[in-house]
Amino acid sequence: MRIAIVGCGQLSRMLALAGLPLGIKFSFIHDDLNQNQDCVAGLGIITPAPHKCATSNRYNDQDVEQLYQALGKPDCITVEKEQVDLALLQALAAFCAIYPSIAAIQACQHRGEEKQLLTRLAIPTSPYLYNASAQQAVQTLGYPVMVKSCTEGYDGKNQWLIKNLADAQQFDTLDIKDYIIEAFVDFDKEVSLIAVRHQNGQIEHYALTDNEHVQGMLTRSIAPAANITDELKLQAQHYMVSLLNKLDYVGVMAMECFVIGDKLMVNELAPRVHNSGHWTQLGSITCQFENHIRALAGLSLGSTAQIAPTGMLNIIGTERPPFAAIAENAKLYWYNKSVKPKRKLGHINFIADNSKILSQQMAQFSLDK
Ligand code: AMP
């Protein structure tokens, strides 16, 4: 069995590292020339994406067939990010299955379409307007509002917080296209749910995870999330099940939510393994990466049961692996990427007998740095 992944980043790396012990071979489509291939070097075949005809927005049939051959004729293709070229996936679909489906990736790669999907399924999300002027939007939504680019934004990039009339007027002078403006949510905290759906429709959920962001970027996750009632947990699982079934989804999906009192509001979906699920590498019987591979390969899903309280700290902008982090109950995962400001270069997972000790150990490491 061979699985090809679009992208050569850390998620591709960790998917391959989880799938290789199952006897699965990997190939990687290098579709972003700004990114080097160091993360996946040595883990399988790496092949550049072909060029696309700029006028027709299509790939040459022969180039796509050559790509499929060069990838080692994979049994299926998956993605490590939502911003992939759908035309390339459509062309490759002539040769093998694409998981999750192209429709699922399409729905999650555009914030406007994602909001429509959530609304159609009656899943709460913050009210929004599509491509309205900021001055119009604040009349409906009030201050503050967040502007988010529909396709280019991740880790808080391409987002603008509009707090007053001056901000709104300034935003309206910018030449920005394809964006949503959404009401700012005064949330109590942020959580995410990671789940996996098998080809046969079986769905398994991981524990809800507490997430902390700094300037829109995830810095720390802890699972299980604290002070979550059974009702809230079931609410999250119910939203996830309706999304996965609606999209006839295969693989791992992540759903990021705001908690407001005893209610959830979905902020964002990711049609892939997710940073807030990295803790599962140490804290679960089967991690998100292995379960994604199992679902794609048609193998039995592994248990998502949690072993003990687990936390994750992202390593951002540090030149060398922080070996001091390695401890009896802490593991380092270094991605082998070149250093750039605000770039995630690795993470550390911590596991402990109880949540109090876990928090102390994570706080201790943050202080030591
Ligand atoms: P996103 O790119 O949508 O995942 O946003 C990144 C982070 O920005 C979120 O995890 C929140 O911390 C914050 N954020 C995004 N949207 C909103 C909103 N509507 N109201 C308040 N905070 C938000």
Side-chain angles (χ1 to χ4, degrees):
M1 171 106 199
R2 180 179 287 277
I3 297 176
I5 310 175
V6 185
C8 294
Q10 69 265 26
L11 300 180
S12 289
R13 172 187 180 87
M14 291 186 275
L15 282 165
L17 289 173
L20 287 166
L22 303 174
I24 293 171
K25 297 189 180 75
F26 286 88
S27 310
F28 308 93
I29 302 178
H30 188 216
D31 66 333
D32 176 2
L33 297 178
N34 294 319
Q35 186 183 46
N36 68 32
Q37 311 163 359
D38 293 353
C39 274
V40 293
L43 296 176
I45 301 169
I46 305 173
T47 311
H51 294 290
K52 184 163 70 166
C53 169
T55 46
S56 69
N57 192 34
R58 286 196 72 237
Y59 289 87
N60 175 299
D61 290 347
Q62 254 182 340
D63 288 352
V64 178
E65 184 162 2
Q66 263 172 23
L67 169 66
Y68 181 71
Q69 298 285 345
L71 289 168
K73 298 200 230 164
D75 298 277
C76 65
I77 296 176
T78 189
V79 297
E80 66 150 1
K81 55 190 172 182
E82 46 277 24
Q83 294 312 329
V84 293
D85 186 1
L86 297 178
L88 180 61
L89 293 181
Q90 268 143 9
L92 284 165
F95 299 93
C96 66
I98 311 288
Y99 294 132
S101 66
I102 298 174
I105 297 166
Q106 181 168 16
C108 299
Q109 75 170 203
H110 189 276
R111 284 187 195 268
E113 285 196 32
E114 191 174 279
K115 285 277 199 189
Q116 280 179 23
L117 172 69
L118 294 168
T119 310
R120 273 202 302 277
L121 294 173
I123 298 174
T125 182
S126 60
Y128 73 104
L129 294 174
Y130 177 61
N131 276 352
S133 78
Q135 291 171 83
Q136 264 169 359
V138 292
Q139 282 174 19
T140 317
L141 305 171
Y143 289 105
V145 290
M146 296 269 291
V147 184
K148 298 179 176 180
S149 160
C150 280
T151 53
E152 300 304 322
Y154 67 96
D155 289 343
K157 288 174 192 145
N158 288 313
Q159 297 187 1
W160 298 263
L161 179 63
I162 293 183
K163 297 188 288 297
N164 50 41
L165 180 62
D167 290 347
Q169 285 171 334
Q170 203 211 345
F171 177 80
D172 287 339
T173 63
L174 302 177
D175 182 25
I176 292 170
K177 296 194 175 61
D178 205 24
Y179 59 88
I180 57 164
I181 303 189
E182 68 176 18
F184 189 85
V185 181
D186 189 14
F187 53 79
D188 299 321
K189 63 173 182 169
E190 295 184 76
V191 296
S192 60
L193 178 64
I194 312 279
V196 58
R197 186 174 184 272
H198 195 271
Q199 295 168 16
N200 65 12
Q202 182 192 352
I203 294 174
E204 300 296 336
H205 305 275
Y206 288 92
L208 269 183
T209 303
D210 273 328
N211 296 319
E212 286 176 25
H213 295 81
V214 175
Q215 293 174 349
M217 196 171 182
L218 182 71
T219 51
R220 186 178 129 105
S221 297
I222 293 186
N227 306 320
I228 295 290
T229 59
D230 283 349
E231 275 133 41
L232 205 88
K233 187 172 103 181
L234 290 175
Q235 212 180 97
Q237 294 187 353
H238 171 71
Y239 298 155
M240 179 61 97
V241 168
S242 34
L243 283 162
L244 293 176
N245 286 338
K246 173 78 187 169
L247 297 167
D248 194 17
Y249 198 91
V250 177
V252 163
M253 178 185 253
M255 183 176 82
E256 294 184 85
C257 308
F258 299 133
V259 179
I260 309 134
D262 59 356
K263 296 264 174 306
L264 285 177
M265 205 178 240
V266 174
N267 176 41
E268 205 178 16
L269 306 172
R272 54 175 168 81
V273 287
H274 194 255
N275 193 176
S276 68
H278 288 4
W279 65 267
T280 62
Q281 290 171 308
L282 188 60
S284 279
I285 291 181
T286 318
C287 72
Q288 60 164 351
F289 302 101
E290 182 173 338
N291 259 338
H292 185 72
I293 298 298
R294 288 193 191 204
L296 267 52
L299 303 171
S300 299
L301 294 181
S303 167
T304 53
Q306 186 160 357
I307 298 161
T310 315
M312 186 238 35
L313 288 179
N314 270 331
I315 304 168
I316 298 163
T318 311
E319 294 233 351
R320 281 179 211 88
F323 292 123
I326 298 173
E328 220 180 323
N329 67 330
K331 292 203 181 195
L332 172 66
Y333 305 77
W334 187 249
Y335 307 151
N336 217 15
K337 290 168 91 167
S338 52
V339 183
K340 268 194 191 167
K342 285 193 82 181
R343 182 178 247 191
K344 294 171 186 164
L345 299 168
H347 68 273
I348 306 158
N349 282 333
F350 298 80
I351 193 162
D353 288 341
N354 62 57
S355 310
K356 198 169 157 207
I357 300 176
L358 180 71
S359 303
Q360 283 167 352
Q361 285 170 339
M362 291 177 74
Q364 186 59 46
F365 176 72
S366 306
L367 292 176
D368 288 350
K369 275 213 295 182

